[in-house]
Amino acid sequence: PPLGRQLFSFLALNIDHKKFRKAMYTISHSNKSLTEIAHDLDFYDQAHFTRTFKRFAGINPNAYRKSNKGIVPEMILLK
């Protein structure tokens, strides 16, 4: 693929990963609904948020909330 397309894909993935990290933190440290979190992080809708979260975590946000409440891996750094 052309370099421009590769760069765009990298930047989009980087933005999604930052949103994912913020979502993990918010899920673990708030009682906000997943819809509120999706909206706060500028996802198109909750389905888009769920797909993106699952791509990085391997589980959906609701399953993460139930199984890992309060646990955020050390690798999660918010900037």
Side-chain angles (χ1 to χ4, degrees), residues 20-74:
F20 163 71
R21 293 186 333 234
K22 290 178 181 180
M24 285 183 76
Y25 182 86
T26 304
I27 289 169
S28 296
H29 292 89
S30 80
N31 291 322
K32 287 185 175 185
S33 71
L34 297 179
T35 301
E36 287 177 293
I37 295 170
H39 180 263
D40 290 350
L41 295 175
D42 296 325
F43 283 95
Y44 180 73
D45 57 20
Q46 186 178 339
H48 179 215
F49 168 62
T50 298
R51 282 191 306 273
T52 301
F53 190 95
K54 189 170 183 176
R55 182 173 7 135
F56 289 107
I59 59 174
N60 67 46
N62 195 41
Y64 175 78
R65 174 173 269 166
K66 289 178 181 177
S67 67
N68 292 315
K69 183 70 176 167
I71 299 173
V72 178
E74 291 179 19

